[in-house]
């Protein structure tokens, strides 16, 4: 057991990590076997872990404060050309909005994504069975979904969601806030969100600035990296300072304040009816954490875009577009000589980098970021 390498040492670490509730090497999906309480004391045992996890879950997802009035002024300042109702001006159009948004074509596209190995929700229903069913059965289910959306009469089984607590590499397995909660949705709920998702994609294409490269078609992380490399090369060639500021958000999806999210979606041109339908679904939901001793008792979660929801990435991009808009108006950014263009920021999902020609402008970008996140009720890590 004293050897530096070999199966004996590996087995030893497997035993130790299993006892701590994690996989060897850090990270992984080890179930919660112990949890730190508010005083930092490590709790063990089935009842203690389940109770503390449920308490921390309910506490983390309670209503959060946000400066809503200041947010409205901020949105009007960023885009004074927009009227009430957002970029597309589609709020509360006449006619049946469900028929306009949730088309048969969109339903079929959503159903095509169903896979046989996707985890099912509390109702135990797999959309893959529907995918393999005759079209007559699919159309009957499609018509039923439209009624559910129109009346916001969501089945009770959709409203209870289970979160698998995924560990982050290098974190202590008992540190619950540092785990990533991945919420398992009922498959019927997934179909609903994917049908409504076309509206979010349309709004994002129109409202989200081009500096965002995350969860965006034809864009990826290498493109952001290439631009940063070009900045570094230019600064080296000109013997000038290379000024950058990196920013990340703490538990971003689940930290979005829903009242702020609703107002930002309206500003970005999402149909009000779509926002209200999604808000009604999420505000009625309860969560349970998966632990090594089974599920916790249900707790209400009143904030956040659920991690695991198919539309949370796009909806969160709309939230970040407020920060992008404010930075774009205030900060001139780094000037690329060849393109004769200035670039103040780059984003890949909630990971951002701000670029400038001097430290004063970089400080302004940081101040802008801090102010907007405070207004929106978000938490940023620089």
């Amino acid at each position: 057991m004293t050897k530096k390498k070999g199966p004996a040492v590996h087995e030893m670490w497997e035993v130790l990590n299993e006892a701590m509730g994690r996989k060897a090497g850090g990270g992984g999906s080890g179930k919660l076997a112990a949890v730190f309480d508010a005083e930092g004391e490590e709790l063990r045992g089935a009842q203690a872990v389940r109770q503390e996890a449920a308490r921390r879950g309910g506490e983390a997802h309670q209503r959060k404060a946000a400066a809503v009035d200041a947010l409205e002024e901020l949105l009007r300042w960023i885009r004074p050309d927009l009227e009430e109702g957002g970029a597309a001006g589609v709020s509360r159009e006449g006619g049946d909005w469900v028929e306009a948004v949730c088309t048969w074509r969109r339903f079929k596209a959503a159903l095509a994504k169903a896979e046989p190995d996707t985890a099912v929700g509390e109702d135990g229903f797999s959309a893959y069975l529907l995918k393999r069913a005759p079209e007559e059965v699919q159309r009957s289910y499609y018509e039923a979904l439209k009624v559910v959306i129109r009346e916001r009469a969501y089945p009770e089984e959709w409203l209870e969601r289970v979160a698998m607590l995924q560990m982050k590499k290098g974190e202590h397995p008992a540190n619950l806030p540092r785990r990533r909660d991945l919420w398992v949705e009922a498959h019927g709920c997934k179909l609903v969100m994917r049908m409504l998702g076309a509206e979010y994609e349309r709004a994002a294409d129109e409202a989200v600035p081009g500096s965002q490269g995350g969860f965006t078609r034809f864009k990826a992380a290498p493109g952001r990296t290439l631009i940063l490399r070009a900045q570094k090369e230019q600064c080296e060639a000109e013997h000038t300072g290379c000024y950058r500021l990196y920013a990340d958000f703490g538990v971003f999806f689940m930290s979005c304040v829903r009242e702020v999210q609703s107002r930002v979606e309206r500003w970005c041109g999402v149909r009000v009816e779509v926002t209200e339908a999604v808000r009604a679904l999420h505000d009625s939901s309860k969560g349970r954490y998966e632990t090594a001793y089974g599920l916790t008792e249900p707790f209400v979660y009143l904030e956040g875009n659920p991690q695991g929801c198919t539309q949370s990435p796009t909806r969160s991009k709309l939230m970040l577009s407020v920060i992008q808009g404010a930075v774009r108006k205030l900060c001139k950014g780094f000037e690329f000589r060849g393109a004769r263009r200035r670039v103040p920021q780059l984003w890949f999902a909630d990971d951002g980098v701000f670029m400038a020609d001097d430290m004063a402008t970089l400080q302004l970008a940081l101040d802008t970021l801090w102010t907007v996140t405070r207004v929106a009720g978000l938490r940023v890590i620089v």
Side-chain angles (χ1 to χ4, degrees):
M1 294 292 287
T2 59
K3 295 179 180 179
K4 294 184 179 180
K5 296 182 180 180
V9 173
H10 180 76
E11 183 179 351
M12 177 187 70
W13 284 111
E14 288 286 357
V15 171
L16 292 175
N17 279 287
E18 184 177 355
M20 297 180 70
R22 64 184 178 187
K23 294 182 178 179
S29 56
K31 293 183 179 180
L32 190 70
V35 62
F36 292 136
D37 63 12
E39 286 72 37
E41 181 180 351
E42 185 173 328
L43 304 179
R44 286 185 175 270
Q47 183 176 2
V49 169
R50 289 204 303 264
Q51 286 182 348
E52 182 63 17
R55 186 191 71 80
R56 297 288 289 271
E59 184 180 86
H61 299 107
Q62 287 301 308
R63 295 284 188 205
K64 295 182 176 65
V68 177
D69 292 339
L71 174 74
E72 293 285 359
E73 291 296 326
L74 176 64
L75 297 178
R76 282 192 287 268
W77 170 75
I78 295 173
R79 290 287 302 277
D81 56 308
L82 295 185
E83 298 179 357
E84 183 79 9
V90 294
S91 300
R92 302 226 181 264
E93 288 183 337
D96 189 338
W97 73 271
V98 176
E99 294 291 343
V101 174
C102 302
T103 63
W104 170 249
R105 181 178 180 181
R106 290 176 182 172
F107 173 78
K108 289 291 288 184
L111 191 59
K113 297 180 181 294
E115 297 294 340
D117 56 350
T118 302
V120 298
E122 290 299 286
D123 58 359
F125 169 69
S126 172
Y128 184 75
L129 298 176
L130 184 63
K131 179 180 178 179
R132 306 294 295 178
E135 183 175 316
E136 180 182 358
V137 176
Q138 294 178 358
R139 286 192 176 273
S140 296
Y141 194 87
Y142 165 63
E143 293 297 331
L145 283 186
K146 289 193 294 184
V147 174
V148 167
I149 296 170
R150 188 179 292 110
E151 298 180 359
R152 302 178 198 166
Y154 302 109
E156 290 185 8
E157 294 82 0
W158 291 12
L159 302 180
E160 186 169 297
R161 306 179 182 212
V162 174
M164 296 180 292
L165 301 172
Q166 185 182 55
M167 290 179 55
K168 296 180 180 179
K169 187 174 181 179
E171 298 289 350
H172 195 286
N175 191 355
L176 179 57
R178 293 301 300 160
R179 284 178 175 249
R180 178 175 287 108
D181 46 348
L182 302 178
W183 296 86
V184 179
E185 283 188 320
H187 285 203
C189 185
K190 283 184 178 291
L191 293 174
V192 166
M193 292 303 299
R194 282 183 171 138
M195 284 196 292
L196 298 177
E199 175 68 8
Y200 284 114
E201 290 290 347
R202 179 200 59 76
D205 288 343
E206 296 177 0
V208 175
S211 55
Q212 175 62 265
F215 308 111
T216 304
R217 286 171 294 181
F218 311 120
K219 291 185 179 181
R224 316 292 99 181
T225 304
L226 181 62
I227 297 174
L228 292 176
R229 184 65 186 182
Q231 181 205 20
K232 183 178 179 180
E233 293 286 349
Q234 178 177 311
C235 291
E236 183 176 356
E238 297 180 349
H239 301 285
T240 57
C242 185
Y243 299 98
R244 294 178 188 169
L245 170 71
Y246 293 90
D248 189 16
F249 287 84
V251 197
F252 180 61
F253 283 9
M254 293 302 292
S255 68
C256 292
V257 179
R258 289 181 184 167
E259 180 60 29
V260 173
Q261 182 74 43
S262 297
R263 293 173 185 254
V264 169
E265 288 182 10
R266 184 192 65 195
W267 177 69
C268 290
V270 178
R271 294 186 71 128
V272 172
E273 301 91 341
V274 171
T275 296
E276 291 176 347
V278 173
R279 179 80 180 268
L281 172 62
H282 290 165
D283 280 355
S284 303
S285 297
K286 293 185 178 181
R288 303 174 79 181
Y289 283 155
E290 180 187 51
T291 74
Y293 310 104
L295 300 178
T296 67
E297 290 298 313
F299 55 84
V300 176
Y301 71 96
L302 300 173
E303 295 294 8
N305 299 325
Q307 191 95 23
C309 175
T310 59
Q311 300 312 309
S312 288
T314 304
R315 298 180 69 219
S316 298
K317 281 199 308 182
L318 299 178
M319 179 75 81
L320 288 170
S321 71
V322 181
I323 299 174
Q324 292 175 269
V327 171
R328 184 170 57 180
K329 287 201 71 170
L330 288 175
C331 307
K332 61 183 181 180
F334 178 81
E335 183 180 5
F336 286 93
R337 305 296 184 196
R340 297 182 180 179
R341 296 284 298 274
R342 289 187 175 272
V343 177
Q345 59 192 325
L346 293 171
W347 291 85
F348 188 80
D350 63 322
D351 297 312
V353 58
F354 303 94
M355 303 182 292
D357 290 328
D358 53 70
M359 186 60 73
T361 304
L362 198 64
Q363 181 64 53
L364 178 59
L366 175 60
D367 294 342
T368 304
L369 171 68
W370 184 86
T371 301
V372 177
T373 53
R374 291 276 291 180
V375 168
L378 299 171
R379 184 170 66 93
V380 68
I381 303 171
V382 177

